[in-house]
Amino acid sequence: MSRTQALRQAITSGKLFTAMSAHNPLSAKLAEEAGFGAIWGSGFELSASHAVPDANILSAGTHLDMMRAIASAVAIPLIADIDTGFGNAVNVSYVVPQYEAAGASAVVMEDKTFPKDTSLRADGRQELVRTEEFQGKIAAAAAARRDKDFVVIARTEALIAGLGQAEALQRALAYEEAGADAILIHSKQTTPAEVLAFIEAWPGKVPLVLVPTAYPELTEADIQQLGKVGLVIYGNHAIRAAVGAMRAVFARIRAEGGIRGVDKELPTVKEIIRLQGDEHMRGIEAAYLR
Ligand code: SPV
Ligand code: MG
């Protein structure tokens, strides 16, 4: 079964599927080893790893190159975060086949204006394009894919923009009608109340997708019980874990005046060599170096 088929099946199976964020092939590999079902090719994480805001500062090419590197480092499906699609429906038509060719199994596209501002920042610029315009972008994405199993996920930022449930539902239904395979409903409320209200009211047929960063108390068991959600995305936990771990180790080395204290607590150099894929390279050496 191809990765696109596996992803499509998983999000419609009735059993909740999980995706962990990654900002490079190493973080993707760690997520795969931890047992997540898919990789979330997060724009927020890639921006953070370049120390720039998540506001279309990085080019589409930079994101695409990283998606290609991630997709070739893991065997599980990659869900690429294409932000607003890097322009209008014309741009989307050209971008989607490039993400497919890079090895992604899905794209998530959000209904904000280009250039976007990040969703979870207080007081960010959260302007949405017209519903009809975004329907055109979703239809363009669906038509541009070469593999019919490639998954197109429409993300509405109506709740993020403070436009209310009615607008969020109207947009989500319009995006389903335009050909979206799933709807990502995003919220930055610190309780799950507005997302739960949306899920309860959702009359559509396609599965919903959640990114519970702002309301972390909602567990996978809770989400599974809701019945309408096919995928949960952990949006930024790789970069936050990395920042926390690096900061703690760097501080200790400064405080202790050397690496003696931290050395035994860190993953060994041998472990990093394993993660680099050393075994594969040694196999090539043994077979072909003469
Ligand atoms: C990302 O991880 O880039 C996302 C999720 O789009 S969020 O940052 O919550 O908008
Ligand atoms: Mg993003």
Side-chain angles (χ1 to χ4, degrees):
M1 193 190 297
S2 71
R3 284 196 277 191
T4 53
Q5 285 170 336
L7 179 64
R8 183 171 282 276
Q9 245 183 46
I11 66 170
T12 52
S13 68
K15 190 167 176 289
L16 184 65
F17 201 52
T18 60
M20 174 50 76
S21 56
H23 48 277
N24 60 23
L26 180 62
S27 51
K29 219 163 163 176
L30 292 172
E32 180 177 45
E33 287 186 0
F36 292 96
I39 301 298
W40 168 236
S42 163
F44 180 90
E45 289 222 354
L46 189 63
S47 301
S49 74
H50 285 252
V52 299
D54 176 26
N56 291 129
I57 307 298
L58 297 179
S59 71
T62 301
H63 188 256
L64 184 63
D65 284 346
M66 187 54 75
M67 296 304 105
R68 187 177 293 109
I70 288 175
S72 65
V74 295
I76 57 179
L78 167 66
I79 302 166
D81 173 10
I82 62 166
D83 293 336
T84 66
F86 307 103
N88 63 18
V90 176
N91 300 82
V92 171
S93 285
Y94 283 88
V95 154
V96 165
Q98 292 178 40
Y99 275 84
E100 262 191 294
S105 296
V107 287
V108 170
M109 183 166 60
E110 64 201 53
D111 56 2
K112 292 211 294 250
T113 52
F114 176 88
K116 60 163 273 178
D117 199 354
T118 201
S119 300
L120 299 181
R121 180 183 179 279
D123 306 324
R125 287 174 284 105
Q126 307 300 340
E127 290 154 20
L128 272 52
V129 297
R130 288 174 299 106
T131 301
E132 297 70 25
E133 182 180 340
F134 198 67
Q135 280 185 302
K137 292 174 76 168
I138 290 296
R145 64 187 153 196
R146 286 160 192 170
D147 172 357
K148 64 176 177 25
D149 291 312
F150 186 84
V151 177
V152 174
I153 303 175
R155 160 172 163 177
T156 183
E157 297 277 291
L159 298 178
I160 294 275
L163 301 178
Q165 290 290 345
E167 178 78 13
L169 285 162
Q170 174 264 312
R171 281 180 175 264
L173 277 170
Y175 303 161
E176 178 182 37
E177 192 193 313
D181 298 305
I183 300 290
L184 191 159
I185 179 69
H186 206 10
S187 165
K188 61 179 173 189
Q189 297 290 313
T190 53
T191 76
E194 72 172 5
V195 157
L196 294 178
F198 179 95
I199 295 167
E200 199 180 356
W202 172 239
K205 291 185 183 58
V206 298
L208 298 174
V209 180
L210 302 187
V211 184
T213 307
Y215 47 95
E217 69 268 32
L218 203 66
T219 66
E220 289 173 19
D222 299 332
I223 299 170
Q224 172 73 54
Q225 275 198 346
L226 300 170
K228 299 179 190 173
V229 183
L231 174 68
V232 60
I233 293 175
Y234 299 116
N236 48 41
H237 297 78
I239 198 81
R240 287 165 67 194
V243 167
M246 282 191 268
R247 195 169 263 159
V249 168
F250 296 170
R252 265 189 71 189
I253 295 171
R254 289 305 338 119
E256 295 171 7
I259 55 176
R260 184 168 53 196
V262 296
D263 192 64
K264 284 184 183 50
E265 292 164 29
L266 287 172
T268 60
V269 172
K270 190 173 168 202
E271 167 61 1
I272 304 301
I273 288 174
R274 182 191 72 78
L275 287 165
Q276 288 173 331
D278 185 69
E279 197 183 328
H280 178 67
M281 188 185 112
R282 299 306 150 195
I284 297 170
E285 270 183 2
Y288 305 117
L289 277 189
R290 295 180 187 162

